[in-house]
Amino acid sequence: QDLETLIGFYYAPHVPTLVTDRERSAGDVLEDDPVGRLKVYVYELPTKYNKKMVAKDSRCLSHMFAAEIFMHRFLLSSAIRTMNPEEADWFYTPVYTTCDLTPWGHPLPFKSPRIMRSAVQFISSHWPYWNRTAGADHFFVVPHDFGACFHYQEEKAIERGILPLLRRATLVQTFGQKDHVCLKEGSINIPPYAPPQKMKTHLVPPETPRSIFVYFRGLFYDTANDPEGGYYARGARASVWENFKNNPLFDISTDHPPTYYEDMQRAIFCLCPLGWAPWSPRLVEAVVFGCIPVIIADDIVLPFADAIPWDEIGVFVAEDDVPKLDTILTSIPMEVILRKQRLLANPSMKQAMLFPQPAQPGDAFHQILNGLARKLPHSKSVYLTPGQKALNWTQGPKGDLKPW
């Protein structure tokens, strides 16, 4: 069978944005307006914790961890911001822990615990609010690979655990995996940052046919950090390459062409396998470009899972089932494919995955605020009694305790 015959009816233009009432009830993004439901106080920190970092290295504004910067900028002009801390429901500390980059643009997480500890020490010594709750009414954006565990390798992240000072705070993070030490209960899972304006400039005409069955660009092996293989992506990416590198249905490569965004809009399925962590920017790109995300990451907790119907728009494949990927995808009924494509065409689905500037109703900023609003009111138990100690300030690896 040739490629077009095998793809069959899927070789079709982009699906129109018409969504039936039945599909809207099953597959619409939660669109609550958070304004009026909560007030956030933004601490004013010395610029060394935020603005000076960006001034030193502007690459922090465009990498996949940039949500921490844009959340700060959004809150400064948001209607939910209060200048009176006494009326605040939540307190936000604008500290950019992923803005220490290698020459290749990768965040170095090794100073992050010291930066975060220093920021917490600053707010706890200049305002009374941290000490009232030991941080239980504070939230932090921690978009590292493994969130507030601050390491890019899972084994070491697990060994480190969540920074002890943040164990009562609400963490807003990209990392999400069920029953994992780096995901505490009550965290808000968010999408990684993808540049909205850049993506917009690469949109193709809606009548463009989806002539690629399966698409993926990225690493299959990380020989620099995993020379023996099998550890990176738990072997799932290596399995994709070994099983399907010669399969005509699979357009997969390590090359990252200038037409990457256009190619995703010509594909029916986009692979979203785990890397060092379960999450990937491909999730955002797939949703925005209407390509059905094929999620290969066991036990992943997806962004805004209480608002976005991932089961309705994506395909989940167990890591051990990667060798059967071709059979799994070609056996999905045509009507299921088309329904997923119709749901992905819903503009609210795309909006919820993006951090646009300026902010827009229903975007990722608003989904985060909705998540915070749903946690209110705070239980009385979050407030400490006089003399009560809830955190051990000297806990953690010795290197983390050094001043920053």
Side-chain angles (χ1 to χ4, degrees):
Q1 290 179 307
D2 62 24
L3 181 60
E4 284 187 39
T5 305
L6 201 46
I7 292 179
F9 190 82
Y10 305 150
Y11 189 89
H14 288 207
V15 179
T17 55
L18 180 66
V19 181
T20 67
D21 288 341
R22 179 173 171 271
E23 285 168 347
R24 184 169 286 109
S25 63
D28 221 7
V29 174
L30 189 63
E31 292 184 331
D32 296 342
D33 184 356
V35 176
R37 298 173 60 216
L38 77 165
K39 291 182 184 293
V40 174
Y41 181 76
V42 180
Y43 287 118
E44 288 191 31
L45 298 188
T47 56
K48 71 172 186 175
Y49 292 103
N50 40 62
K51 292 177 185 174
K52 276 190 178 175
M53 289 184 165
V54 177
K56 180 183 172 186
D57 197 334
S58 62
R59 293 177 300 173
C60 300
L61 290 167
S62 56
H63 68 181
M64 70 182 82
F65 309 98
E68 62 184 359
I69 298 171
F70 291 110
M71 189 68 191
H72 181 202
R73 293 183 178 182
F74 162 72
L75 286 171
L76 290 177
S77 58
S78 171
I80 59 90
R81 183 188 182 190
T82 178
M83 305 304 289
N84 178 6
E86 292 296 334
E87 67 176 19
D89 300 297
W90 288 100
F91 295 83
Y92 168 69
T93 307
V95 52
Y96 304 166
T97 57
T98 67
C99 202
D100 180 22
L101 306 183
T102 68
W104 301 274
H106 301 130
L108 286 166
F110 310 115
K111 291 181 189 172
S112 301
R114 289 161 54 201
I115 297 170
M116 185 64 84
R117 278 180 58 87
S118 175
V120 172
Q121 286 167 335
F122 185 87
I123 62 171
S124 67
S125 60
H126 286 75
W127 290 271
Y129 308 106
W130 174 273
N131 299 317
R132 291 190 315 191
T133 65
D137 53 358
H138 289 55
F139 71 94
F140 295 82
V141 181
V142 282
H144 266 291
D145 287 335
F146 288 93
C149 287
F150 294 126
H151 207 285
Y152 66 91
Q153 290 185 333
E154 184 173 22
E155 192 176 306
K156 290 177 181 173
I158 290 171
E159 190 181 308
R160 288 187 53 82
I162 290 170
L163 189 70
L165 287 187
L166 299 184
R167 286 185 180 158
R168 282 173 61 85
T170 288
L171 302 180
V172 177
Q173 61 184 60
T174 43
F175 172 74
Q177 184 173 315
K178 294 171 190 169
D179 303 318
H180 198 286
V181 298
C182 299
L183 178 67
K184 68 192 284 290
E185 189 177 352
S187 297
I188 296 173
N189 285 91
I190 63 171
Y193 178 78
Q197 287 308 116
K198 182 181 176 184
M199 297 174 87
K200 201 172 181 179
T201 62
H202 288 266
L203 290 173
V204 302
E207 65 274 10
T208 305
R210 290 193 178 269
S211 53
I212 300 168
F213 193 62
V214 180
Y215 188 76
F216 176 80
R217 290 294 182 274
L219 290 178
F220 297 100
Y221 307 90
D222 186 348
T223 51
N225 296 296
D226 181 27
E228 294 179 13
Y231 187 69
Y232 176 63
R234 297 197 282 256
R237 291 195 187 201
S239 182
V240 169
W241 178 249
E242 288 157 13
N243 285 283
F244 304 110
K245 60 187 174 187
N246 296 318
N247 188 317
L249 289 178
F250 284 68
D251 187 342
I252 59 176
S253 171
T254 55
D255 295 335
H256 204 286
T259 57
Y260 173 69
Y261 284 157
E262 288 84 354
D263 292 344
M264 290 190 93
Q265 294 168 82
R266 296 186 183 102
I268 295 159
F269 295 106
C270 288
L271 301 185
C272 302
L274 74 163
W276 282 112
W279 60 272
S280 159
R282 293 172 191 81
L283 275 176
V284 178
E285 295 160 350
V287 171
V288 169
F289 292 133
C291 185
I292 297 168
V294 179
I295 298 158
I296 306 169
D298 294 353
D299 297 322
I300 189 172
V301 176
L302 288 157
F304 309 134
D306 55 352
I308 294 176
W310 288 104
D311 287 339
E312 302 277 344
I313 63 174
V315 174
F316 291 81
V317 175
E319 293 164 28
D320 286 346
D321 288 340
V322 166
K324 298 183 282 187
L325 199 52
D326 53 346
T327 305
I328 292 168
L329 296 180
T330 54
S331 65
I332 297 174
M334 178 180 62
E335 61 270 20
V336 174
I337 300 274
L338 292 174
R339 183 169 186 274
K340 289 180 186 295
Q341 290 178 327
R342 280 196 295 271
L343 292 172
L344 283 167
N346 185 339
S348 68
M349 205 74 67
K350 306 173 192 299
Q351 189 81 304
M353 298 294 283
L354 294 173
F355 296 90
Q357 299 85 54
Q360 298 170 13
D363 62 16
F365 298 117
H366 291 84
Q367 299 298 334
I368 292 170
L369 294 183
N370 284 332
L372 293 168
R374 287 194 287 274
K375 293 176 175 293
L376 297 175
H378 294 296
S379 161
K380 288 181 180 178
S381 64
V382 307
Y383 297 97
L384 304 183
T385 55
Q388 183 183 354
K389 299 289 183 186
L391 298 173
N392 181 352
W393 285 73
T394 59
Q395 188 180 356
K398 286 183 180 178
D400 291 2
L401 307 182
K402 293 177 183 176
W404 178 72

